Amino acid sequence: MTKTPRGVRVRRAVCKALFVVGGVITLVCVLLPIACWRDDVAIERSMGQAVAQVDSVSFNRTVVRYATPDGRVIIPSQGVLYPAGLNVGDNVRVEYDQTNPELTRVAGRTAVLSLLPVGTFLVSVWIVIAVVVTVLRRFGTRV
């Protein structure tokens, strides 16, 4: 019984690890739009509407402030859902879950907006994995 060369074993292990990482990333990319859809369903089940002012915009969240009909001022700690194109000082219509006003989205925007960026990212990840695996398999003896 001959033992496979160490380089071959390492390349196989790297390929398997890349496929596992790709699988985990795929799972997350599938769950993200599902989570967005679930949030949309919760908002639509008990929808309130308001006009919000954009207080801050950063890479990871956009903070808005709005008042509910009962006079409470709500500032969702996680920011507003689907904030693309908002700027500080803008007034924007929002829809929120009346049972959980922390769950707020820009009016008229839904989980469909998550499909293009998630899909593009996922395709890019698998292209990179395919290229690396191909290089490892074809040129493994020379690398």
Side-chain angles (χ1 to χ4, degrees), residues 2 8-9 18 48 57 65 70 74 81 83 97 111 122 124 142-143:
T2 60
V8 172
R9 289 192 318 256
L18 285 172
V57 176
R65 172 190 318 260
D70 61 0
I74 306 294
L81 299 172
D97 180 358
L122 192 56
S124 301
R142 291 181 253 159
V143 174

Side-chain angles (χ1 to χ4, degrees), residues 25-37:
I25 290 172
T26 300
L27 178 64
V28 170
C29 286
V30 167
L31 292 177
L32 183 65
I34 291 171
C36 291
W37 173 78

Side-chain angles (χ1 to χ4, degrees), residues 99-132:
T99 61
N100 177 15
E102 286 283 315
L103 189 54
T104 305
R105 70 179 179 198
V106 175
R109 298 182 184 180
T110 64
V112 172
L113 293 175
S114 69
L115 296 178
L116 181 62
V118 168
T120 303
F121 174 72
L122 192 56
V123 167
S124 301
V125 165
W126 280 107
I127 287 172
V128 169
I129 289 172
V131 168
V132 171

Side-chain angles (χ1 to χ4, degrees), residues 16-96:
K16 287 179 184 178
L18 285 172
F19 284 126
V20 168
V21 168
V24 170
I25 290 172
T26 300
L27 178 64
V28 170
C29 286
V30 167
L31 292 177
L32 183 65
I34 291 171
C36 291
W37 173 78
R38 189 200 70 203
D39 288 344
D40 287 347
V41 168
I43 290 170
E44 289 166 7
R45 196 175 305 136
S46 178
M47 186 185 301
Q49 296 182 339
V51 175
Q53 181 176 0
V54 179
D55 286 345
S56 73
V57 176
S58 64
F59 172 74
N60 60 340
R61 89 181 162 153
T62 299
V63 177
V64 298
R65 172 190 318 260
Y66 64 92
T68 61
D70 61 0
R72 292 185 302 155
V73 174
I74 306 294
I75 304 171
S77 60
Q78 297 300 315
V80 67
L81 299 172
Y82 320 121
L86 300 182
N87 298 305
V88 174
D90 285 352
N91 287 324
V92 61
R93 287 187 39 229
V94 294
E95 300 167 340
Y96 61 93

